[in-house]
Amino acid sequence: MADIGRKERLNAYKCMQSGMVGPAGPYRDMFEARFADLVGARHILATSNGTTALHLALLLMGAGPGDEVIVPSMTYVATANAIRHTGATPVFADVSPLTWCLDPNDVAARITPNTKGILPVHLYGNLADTEALEALAKAKGLWVIYDGAHAALSTLNGAGSGSFGRLCTYSFHLNKTITCGEGGAIAINDDALFERARRLRSHGMDYHTRHLLHEVGYNYRLSNLHCSILCAQLDHVADIRDSRDAVAAAYGAELAGTPGLQVQPVLAGQRRETWMYTVLCDEAAGAPPRDAIIAGLARLGVEARPFFPAIHRMAFHRPPKGQPRADLPVTDRLARDGFSLPTYNTMPPEHASQIARRLRQVLADPALRHGARDQSGVA
């Protein structure tokens, strides 16, 4: 549920009255500067959506045919698709049970002479182990791009999600914590990369001498109108963060110690953005299968969402002919047993408590212990 209030509507109205609704204007400049401060980045480049941000970031690092980019299989498919868009090959690695994000040890085992970079995902608001991944990349001569679509508000020891490494991408899709309906951004901590990114975003046009084209570029710009909405979102971003934290706290208080349920682990020193409140069921501890739980919640009027399907099992992301499919046991467990509970900016904590009680009711139902699993998306 998008949180579009009076300030967002007023900003959009002012923008439309000005006539500056296209891909440049004061709201875009204002948003890029303010969002850079929020996430701790040197520069922010607003883009048309999160996937174009990923594609642009990969192009900035030179990804192309013959290259391999290591990426988690436990993420939304857009992350891997963006790698394919460059002609490079995604190599799927497992995630850590301690973070549900890319496991640096598994990444190290999958590096080949064709590996050019690593694309970790800050999954469901949880920051990946940036210190270990950056150290590994430096030792192996690789670049790192972070996918921060779920983690715009996450911090580690006070450092924002855009402060780690050279590039981090974001999404402002309808279901994200900060939204304008559709949009994206790249955090860039390298001045030369930022200058080239501005050209690539706008057909290869030089930013300083308009209409002078230097290379084949793209139309990946975000409109001033969209940015007017994002600026209004930033006006109450602290309230958004606190509201979602209160929802997570309400869920946590009701579900603490519930047999057969494991909540997402969080690294020490991290303030995780509560993009969604995510949990795992454990049949060995007496919980019903995940899909039976989701069906049981639906009968009680609660819409829960399964985790992303594992990308390495999708037919269109099979490894090249003759190569085996990766063995990713933690990813497979998350894809099979993980689900997310309703979470949105204006959600009352009491609503979360009520949902948690209904979840406990479902978990205790002996009739659900042998429910079928949904295998959709798996090939």
Side-chain angles (χ1 to χ4, degrees):
M1 182 182 297
D3 178 19
I4 303 297
R6 183 178 180 276
K7 184 62 182 291
E8 284 83 357
R9 294 192 296 271
L10 181 60
N11 271 18
Y13 177 74
K14 289 179 178 177
C15 184
M16 287 186 287
Q17 281 220 312
S18 75
M20 300 184 69
V21 297
Y27 281 115
R28 192 191 71 179
D29 295 343
M30 186 188 310
F31 170 72
E32 288 178 339
R34 292 178 63 190
F35 193 69
D37 287 341
L38 177 69
V39 301
R42 186 179 302 176
H43 305 285
I44 285 290
L45 195 80
T47 63
S48 52
N49 57 60
T51 304
T52 57
L54 281 165
H55 185 223
L56 196 58
L58 288 158
L59 293 174
L60 290 173
M61 302 314 294
D67 296 339
E68 294 177 352
V69 180
I70 298 177
V71 63
S73 174
M74 176 44 58
T75 178
Y76 188 57
V77 71
T79 313
N81 286 352
I83 297 170
R84 295 262 188 212
H85 293 332
T86 70
T89 300
V91 173
F92 296 107
D94 213 351
V95 293
S96 167
L98 301 178
T99 61
W100 300 357
C101 298
L102 200 56
D103 184 345
N105 293 324
D106 198 59
V107 171
R110 299 182 189 279
I111 294 173
T112 75
N114 294 325
T115 305
K116 295 298 186 293
I118 308 170
L119 209 173
V121 176
H122 300 317
L123 189 71
Y124 295 123
N126 221 20
L127 295 176
D129 190 344
T130 56
E131 183 177 357
L133 289 165
E134 291 286 339
L136 174 62
K138 183 177 181 180
K140 298 295 184 179
L142 307 175
W143 45 258
V144 180
I145 298 169
Y146 295 100
D147 181 341
H150 305 168
L153 305 186
S154 297
T155 63
L156 180 62
N157 299 321
S161 58
S163 65
F164 306 107
R166 286 194 285 176
L167 297 169
C168 182
T169 67
Y170 298 94
S171 170
F172 309 120
H173 179 65
L174 178 67
N175 65 6
K176 298 301 186 292
T177 303
I178 298 173
T179 183
C180 59
E182 189 68 276
I186 314 175
I188 305 175
N189 294 311
D190 180 297
D191 293 341
L193 285 179
F194 177 62
E195 289 298 323
R196 180 155 189 253
R198 289 203 289 189
R199 292 199 303 270
L200 284 177
R201 177 181 67 173
S202 187
H203 302 287
M205 185 183 298
D206 187 276
Y207 185 81
H208 303 287
T209 54
R210 290 186 63 198
H211 310 300
L212 183 62
L213 301 171
H214 290 270
E215 58 184 312
V216 175
Y218 301 83
N219 184 4
Y220 283 176
R221 299 169 294 184
L222 186 63
S223 76
N224 195 49
L225 179 59
H226 283 88
C227 289
S228 73
I229 297 171
L230 289 172
C231 284
Q233 294 265 289
L234 293 185
D235 285 343
H236 61 107
V237 70
D239 293 335
I240 290 173
R241 190 203 310 258
D242 290 345
S243 174
R244 285 179 172 258
D245 284 352
V247 168
Y251 274 132
E254 285 287 345
L255 296 175
T258 302
L261 209 63
Q262 176 190 335
V263 301
Q264 183 177 17
V266 180
L267 288 174
Q270 181 175 169
R271 183 175 183 181
R272 183 180 69 88
E273 174 185 317
T274 306
W275 178 51
M276 290 188 183
Y277 192 82
T278 53
V279 295
L280 284 183
C281 65
D282 185 355
E283 291 182 62
R290 188 269 312 278
D291 296 320
I293 294 172
I294 290 176
L297 284 170
R299 286 191 291 271
L300 296 176
V302 176
E303 182 183 2
R305 293 178 55 178
F307 274 17
F308 301 126
I311 303 175
H312 72 291
R313 294 191 173 275
M314 296 178 181
F316 53 92
H317 275 296
R318 286 186 186 278
K321 189 174 182 179
Q323 294 185 20
R325 178 182 280 160
D327 181 25
L328 309 178
V330 182
T331 295
D332 284 335
R333 164 83 200 287
L334 293 175
R336 183 190 70 219
D337 296 336
F339 62 100
S340 301
L341 297 171
T343 313
Y344 53 93
N345 291 358
T346 58
M347 183 176 180
E350 309 82 60
H351 189 186
S353 299
Q354 183 183 58
I355 291 171
R357 289 192 290 271
R358 291 180 183 179
L359 174 57
R360 291 207 316 269
Q361 178 183 338
V362 170
L363 291 169
D365 186 350
L368 298 180
R369 298 294 164 81
H370 304 290
R373 293 195 184 94
D374 178 8
Q375 296 298 316
S376 63
V378 177

